Amino acid sequence: MAAQTKAERRAANRLAHFEQRQAARAARGPRGLAESWMERARAIAATREKNGDEDVWNDLSRTISTWVSRYEA
């Protein structure tokens, strides 16, 4: 097995943590899963922003806005 870089190890740990939290939230049903995906979306957006993606938060905002428009009465 090849040695992992620090970044690879950090990414693997982050994924394992997300999967554990998602499994726990899945036990709470769809609401728990939605919370898990929203948390993951914020984490990804924050990471991408640090790496220079200037539009990531705008994209996430547009996606959420579309969802809200679809379900808001």
Side-chain angles (χ1 to χ4, degrees):
M1 180 173 167
Q4 284 184 321
T5 66
K6 188 175 182 179
E8 290 169 337
R9 195 169 43 255
R10 190 169 40 247
N13 289 341
R14 194 172 18 249
L15 179 60
H17 179 72
F18 169 73
E19 289 172 347
Q20 288 172 339
R21 288 178 61 81
Q22 188 171 29
R25 286 180 171 169
R28 293 180 24 226
R31 183 178 181 155
L33 283 175
E35 289 173 3
S36 186
W37 284 115
M38 287 186 278
E39 177 183 293
R40 184 74 177 136
R42 286 191 306 269
I44 289 169
T47 298
R48 291 188 61 106
E49 179 185 37
K50 282 183 191 176
N51 293 329
D53 187 344
E54 297 177 9
D55 195 45
V56 69
W57 288 107
N58 289 329
D59 186 31
L60 182 56
S61 294
R62 283 188 301 268
T63 300
I64 294 169
S65 174
T66 299
W67 185 92
V68 168
S69 295
R70 190 178 320 140
Y71 290 100
E72 193 171 44

